[in-house]
Amino acid sequence: MIRSEDGFFGQFGGRYVPEILLPALIELEELFADLRDDDGFWREYLLLAQQFSGRPTPLTPCPGLTRQLGGARIWLKREDLNHSGAHKVNNVLGQGLLVQRMGKRRVIAETGAGQHGLATAIMAARLGLDCTIYMGADDIERQYSNVFWMRQLGAEVVPVSTGARTLKEAMDEALRDWAASSDDTHYVLGTACGPAPFPELVTYFQSVIGLELKDQCQEEFGRYPDEIVACVGGGSNAMGVFAPFLDLPEVRLTGVEAGGTGPRPGAHSVRLSAYGDQQDAAETGIAQGFKTLFLQSRDGQLGATHSVAAGLDYVGVSPIVAHLTETLRLTPAYATDQEVLKAFQLLMRTEGIIPALESSHALAGGFKRAAELDKSQHLVINLSGRGDKDIFKIARAFPQPEWREFLDRELARQSNEKEGSTDVA
Ligand SMILES: *Cc1c(COP(=O)(O)O)cnc(C)c1O
């Protein structure tokens, strides 16, 4: 498994934060150092994950896909079957247990698309913690159904209306809160990024994915897979499934980024691969409390990003992923929005599984690789989440004639109901 050297992975990582946040990060680091090798703590975490989130998630063979693509045997690690529909809850539940150990009673988080905020609100409700979620005002409008559920779960959702009104501003606001409240408040970081010890800590909890997978592969085909493919936004599901295999060089690890609509600046989120003759290639920089590869313009400003999958639309990447790519342990790849939609449709039609658009990047990359491998080989794709949340984007990509009518009818029905009011108070 992966261990940092004083918070660094090669040249990446570190802890570049205002002095006022250092005590809280050091407290967290010391607690994590005490607990990471404590079997009792890991068992407590596994029990919570099992009883609350349905772990272990299955390893599903895909005979139909394997036949169609004609190469390696394809398996899916089913993180979509977690409670709340994605791997994010693994990390959040683990951090919830740390909060209890620290005796704090409040958690805060920032969220872009809302998935991490929702997972955090679920954890807080379950563990009896107060919860505040910071979210850009524009993101709130775009992702209102997540906001709705967070509030139903008892979380306070704070709209952030400064700047571009999206994730970055929400992050600044959450850090401002934490600087003033860290005595009784924990900041739940959602991916394997940010200042130390977060990249390592998030990877530790997410590694439950890869640890289960190791046993399941032995059981199903008596050895380790030839290749594992995961999508890379911040890098947490990828590191979770990769970490237990890092010392096994015969297992190829492929991370798939968002190729968006092409290599133009602002049209993608490719930080690890060379992509066309892109003008805004990722370079090492320090932002958001850590050093990693960030997409930057030539004058060093953080670049704009795009992906059809909101969870992959991120300007930086885990320092662990950056380091593993630099040392050639991880092979980067990318898939464009178009390729992703095709892979999405193929999985649905062939195996009856509705994947998240993020996970469909891993599918697109994995399908390409599987076709290049031999029939005797095994390829595992980490299916990080389910696609229910993406219904509106999918409906736009694959329109059905009745869809507009359905929406109009639904709106009319709702306004009728308001007049007759069937609301529960
Ligand atoms: C958030 C999210 C991702 C991207 O985050 P990582 O930290 O890179 O794993 C991928 N898939 C799904 C389903 C997500 O919700």
Side-chain angles (χ1 to χ4, degrees):
M1 291 266 255
I2 193 99
R3 298 248 172 177
S4 72
E5 275 177 51
D6 284 336
F8 278 90
F9 310 88
Q11 61 159 320
F12 303 109
R15 182 155 58 212
Y16 301 87
V17 296
E19 195 129 356
I20 191 164
L21 293 176
L22 278 178
L25 288 169
I26 290 169
E27 178 190 16
L28 187 64
E29 185 171 71
E30 288 175 353
L31 177 68
F32 177 51
D34 283 347
L35 290 176
R36 68 182 299 164
D37 296 318
D38 177 340
D39 286 345
F41 179 69
W42 186 253
R43 274 199 304 275
E44 182 184 343
Y45 167 61
L46 286 185
L47 187 67
L48 178 62
Q50 176 200 332
Q51 294 180 330
F52 187 63
S53 191
R55 300 209 74 90
T57 58
L59 178 65
T60 304
C62 297
L65 271 177
T66 300
R67 216 173 305 121
Q68 260 198 51
L69 297 170
R73 287 185 58 181
I74 299 175
W75 303 79
L76 299 179
K77 180 62 175 155
R78 300 293 304 283
E79 291 305 298
D80 60 313
L81 295 179
N82 275 296
H83 176 40
S84 83
H87 69 290
K88 285 196 172 73
V89 74
N90 302 332
N91 162 49
V92 163
L93 288 177
Q95 289 196 42
L97 294 181
L98 295 181
V99 175
Q100 290 185 324
R101 298 271 171 137
M102 289 187 285
K104 297 185 174 181
R105 44 155 212 86
R106 175 172 177 260
V107 289
I108 58 175
E110 94 284 335
T111 193
Q115 295 302 115
H116 173 57
L118 183 60
T120 303
I122 284 173
M123 175 275 281
R126 169 77 189 186
L127 300 184
L129 302 167
D130 292 339
C131 179
T132 304
I133 304 294
Y134 290 93
M135 194 164 174
D138 282 4
D139 285 337
I140 287 187
E141 267 172 44
R142 279 198 287 255
Q143 307 286 342
Y144 190 73
S145 64
N146 283 329
V147 177
F148 176 85
W149 285 126
M150 286 186 251
R151 288 183 172 147
Q152 293 292 335
L153 285 155
E156 180 193 13
V157 181
V158 180
V160 178
S161 307
T162 48
R165 299 154 60 99
T166 56
L167 182 63
K168 186 191 163 303
E169 291 75 25
M171 198 178 286
D172 294 343
E173 223 29 65
L175 285 173
R176 200 162 303 148
D177 180 320
W178 204 32
S181 66
S182 62
D183 281 351
D184 74 340
T185 298
H186 174 68
Y187 182 12
V188 185
L189 216 133
T191 186
C193 289
F198 279 112
E200 211 170 345
L201 182 118
V202 173
T203 296
Y204 169 80
F205 289 121
Q206 292 292 2
S207 69
V208 69
I209 305 172
L211 289 170
E212 286 174 8
L213 177 61
K214 261 184 151 173
D215 288 346
Q216 290 168 323
C217 290
Q218 290 295 353
E219 227 161 87
E220 292 285 354
F221 49 85
R223 60 182 181 87
Y224 296 131
D226 297 278
E227 181 156 349
I228 306 173
V229 183
C231 65
V232 181
S236 72
N237 87 89
M239 282 320 306
V241 72
F242 293 164
F245 293 90
L246 288 176
D247 299 334
L248 298 164
E250 69 273 25
V251 182
R252 182 176 156 124
L253 308 173
T254 301
V256 186
E257 304 182 90
T261 55
R264 297 175 314 288
H268 65 90
S269 182
V270 173
R271 301 134 305 179
L272 303 168
S273 304
Y275 190 20
D277 54 356
Q278 63 188 50
Q279 299 289 300
D280 58 342
E283 295 200 27
T284 304
I286 296 172
Q288 302 171 356
F290 69 119
K291 187 195 261 193
T292 194
L293 295 169
F294 287 100
L295 278 172
Q296 301 173 41
S297 60
R298 248 175 269 170
D299 55 357
Q301 299 289 325
L302 288 187
T305 52
H306 160 82
S307 169
V308 69
L312 303 189
D313 195 345
Y314 180 49
V315 69
V317 68
S318 171
I320 310 180
V321 169
H323 173 62
L324 292 173
T325 306
E326 191 175 66
T327 55
L328 307 180
R329 180 64 191 94
L330 185 156
T331 308
Y334 57 84
T336 64
D337 289 355
Q338 281 309 316
E339 293 170 326
V340 163
L341 288 164
K342 262 175 119 172
F344 172 94
Q345 202 171 36
L346 183 61
L347 185 73
M348 288 225 298
R349 297 279 164 97
T350 318
E351 301 290 349
I353 294 170
I354 305 178
L357 283 170
E358 288 84 359
S359 321
S360 301
H361 285 70
L363 293 171
F367 294 170
K368 223 181 265 177
R369 286 290 304 151
E372 292 164 15
L373 296 180
D374 186 82
K375 280 191 167 60
S376 65
Q377 296 182 291
H378 295 271
L379 178 131
V380 177
I381 299 171
N382 197 36
L383 199 74
S384 55
R386 66 174 186 234
D388 310 42
K389 67 183 177 60
D390 296 319
I391 184 169
F392 292 102
K393 277 190 183 153
I394 299 301
R396 211 171 308 139
F398 304 117
Q400 296 174 9
E402 295 88 356
W403 176 252
R404 267 248 66 96
E405 287 169 38
F406 163 75
L407 285 181
D408 291 346
R409 208 163 49 231
E410 197 52 21
L411 283 173
R413 198 176 59 76
Q414 283 172 16
S415 68
N416 281 343
E417 261 177 23
K418 220 175 277 159
E419 276 147 36
S421 196
T422 52
D423 295 353
V424 277

